[in-house]
Amino acid sequence: MTPVMVHLRIDDTEVAVIAGTSVAAAIAHVGGTTRTSCTGMRRAPLCGMGVCFECRATVNGVAQERTCLLPVADAMEVRTHG
């Protein structure tokens, strides 16, 4: 069975991942991290269930989305480190 692929854009990079993938996993797939802390450290998801808030990014213009809880969708626009 061929998996259904979803196409989205992460920080100006076109990405194709399997439907049902979280946005956080798609970000990791391209080698990215989700945000930069106030001290300048690059951050990535820690808990994977929306409790730690380390996975926050801007998705389709909405800031501070918890990407570990959000499934990918076609034509989605994701901005990290914003």
Side-chain angles (χ1 to χ4, degrees):
M1 174 185 254
T2 304
V4 175
M5 301 302 286
V6 173
H7 300 270
L8 64 151
R9 182 177 290 274
I10 300 172
D11 293 329
D12 299 321
T13 300
E14 292 287 334
V15 180
V17 296
I18 297 172
T21 300
S22 72
V23 174
I27 293 168
H29 177 70
V30 297
T33 55
T34 50
R35 65 183 195 88
T36 303
S37 74
C38 60
T39 61
M41 294 180 61
R42 300 201 72 182
R43 306 296 294 187
L46 179 65
C47 72
M49 59 184 184
V51 176
C52 72
F53 290 83
E54 292 297 329
C55 66
R56 292 174 292 161
T58 299
V59 180
N60 293 332
V62 179
Q64 307 297 321
E65 290 281 356
R66 288 179 285 171
T67 62
C68 68
L69 300 176
L70 193 62
V72 295
D74 270 323
M76 185 177 267
E77 294 278 339
V78 180
R79 293 305 233 178
T80 63
H81 305 286

